[in-house]
Amino acid sequence: NVTFVAADFQKQTLKTILDQHCDPHKKTLIIAEGITMYLYESEVKAIFNDIHDYFNKKVFLIFTFMEKRPNGSIQFANATFVVNWWLALQKESFRWGIAPQLLDTQFLAPLGFAQRELLEPLLSEWVCLCEVNHD
């Protein structure tokens, strides 16, 4: 069974979406692609907390994220001046990112997730497969 859900997190909470479309008693895979970089860290953590707290069966999450550089910037992997200029013109700013080597220990584990796989970006975003840890 597959359900595709479009959501606007400025208009509804993930908890509301989960209540409408998911069964907390079934194994579940959630894919969140192209979302985290547009949210503030507190909003990203809220999403992970909602997923962790909603399900009581095995749940996996595949999500993408941008790399936060040592200088604090969050950009596409091979961004050029032209790309950065265009994004600024579109008012498309990235709000959250994390260094990949810190993802598991400083972000996922404290939120009750275990990193299972981390794929380097093909074009711009890292891809992570993680699992809710209910222990």
Side-chain angles (χ1 to χ4, degrees), residues 32 34-40 44 48 63-66 95-96:
I35 296 172
T36 62
M37 72 281 292
Y38 297 110
L39 303 173
Y40 292 103
V44 177
F48 277 74
F63 71 99
T64 59
F65 69 96
M66 301 288 282
R95 296 181 173 131
W96 182 79

Side-chain angles (χ1 to χ4, degrees), residues 55-114:
F55 292 95
N56 51 30
K57 287 285 186 183
K58 190 170 281 258
V59 61
F60 291 93
L61 172 63
I62 297 173
F63 71 99
T64 59
F65 69 96
M66 301 288 282
E67 181 173 353
K68 188 173 191 176
R69 310 280 170 99
N71 67 3
S73 69
I74 302 167
Q75 299 177 329
F76 287 118
N78 297 314
T80 64
F81 170 77
V82 174
V83 169
N84 291 334
W85 172 79
W86 185 84
L87 289 170
L89 187 66
Q90 301 301 311
K91 297 182 179 166
E92 188 169 330
S93 60
F94 301 130
R95 296 181 173 131
W96 182 79
I98 189 166
Q101 65 271 21
L102 302 178
L103 180 68
D104 190 30
T105 58
Q106 292 189 15
F107 185 78
L108 294 174
L111 295 173
F113 286 77

Side-chain angles (χ1 to χ4, degrees), residues 23-41:
D23 182 343
H25 307 293
K26 291 186 178 180
K27 287 183 183 179
T28 303
L29 169 66
I30 296 173
I31 301 173
E33 191 278 325
I35 296 172
T36 62
M37 72 281 292
Y38 297 110
L39 303 173
Y40 292 103
E41 183 172 355

